[in-house]
Amino acid sequence: MAGRALLPRKIINYFMLGVCALGAGIAIIVVCLMLGYILAKGLSFISLDFIISESVPAGYEGGGMRNEIIGTLILVVLGSLIAVPLGMLTGIFLSEFGSPKVAATVRFAADVLAGVPSIVVGVFAYIVIVSQYGYSAFSAGAALSIIMIPVVARTTEESMRLVPGSLREAALALGITRWRSVIFVAIPGALTGIVSGIMLGVARIAGETAPLLFTALGNNFSFEGLARPISALPLQIYNYALSSDKNWQEQAWAGAFLLVMIVLLISLAVRWMSRKGRA
C-alpha cells in the first residue's frame, strides 16, 4: 500500500523535473542561437581598422567605431562614479544600520527601481536634465547610474549579510566603534561580492540603448566634454541597423559582436570572482 501511495508522488516529481529541464534547455538554446547568430554575422566584419577608425558617412566604404567605443567607456566610467558610492552606501545602510521598517521600505524601492524599464529612465533623465541643460555625456551617465544603483545596492547588502556576525562582535569586543567595524571588518569580508555586483552593474549599463536615445543624442566626432553630446556603441549600432546602407549594416553587426564580447567577458570575470570568493 505504501508503495502504491508513493507512485503518484514519483510520477509528479519526474514530471516536474522534466518541465524544469525543458525550460532550462529552451532558455539555453535561445541564448546559444542568439549569440551564435551575432558571432557568425559580426565576426566576419570585425577588424583592427574597425576599432581604430572613425565612422564614415553613408555611401562610403570602411570606417569604424573608435569614437563610439571611447564614448561607451566614458559613459560606463561616469555612470559607475555616480552609482557605485550611492549603491554601496545604500547597501551598507540596509545591512548594518537601517531599522527593519525603514530597511524594508528602501529595499522595496530599490527592487522597484531595478525593474523599471530603461526607456522610462531615459524619459525621466530627459525631463529632469536634458530639458534644462541639453544633451550631454553627463545626462547620459546620470541615466545609466540610475539603472546601476539598485544592482550595486542589493548585491552590497547581500554580500554584507554573508559576513559572519562573530567578526563584528569580536571587533566590538576589542573596543572598536561600530562604524570602524563596518569599514575595516565587514566591508573587506564582503569585498569580493561587492566587486562582483559592481561588475554586474557595469555589464548591465554597457549595453543599454534606450536611455542614450533621450540623453546622449550622438556625436560623430571625438569626445568634446561632459557638457556636450556623445556617441556610444549601443547608440551607433541602433542607428546603423536602421540604415539602408550596406556598409553601416555590416558595421552594426561588428559593433554588436564587440558589445557582446565585452558583456561576456565581464560576466565571466564575475563568475570567476564569485567562485574565488566562495573558495
Side-chain angles (χ1 to χ4, degrees), residues 214-233:
F214 294 91
T215 55
L217 183 64
N219 184 358
N220 292 328
F221 306 100
S222 59
F223 176 65
E224 297 178 336
L226 295 178
R228 300 289 297 171
I230 187 173
S231 187
L233 204 54

Side-chain angles (χ1 to χ4, degrees), residues 1 28 72 98 148 155-156 173 176-177 193 203 221 250 276:
M1 295 295 292
I28 293 173
T72 298
M148 187 175 176
T155 53
T156 299
I176 299 176
T177 58
F221 306 100
E250 292 175 353
K276 185 178 179 181

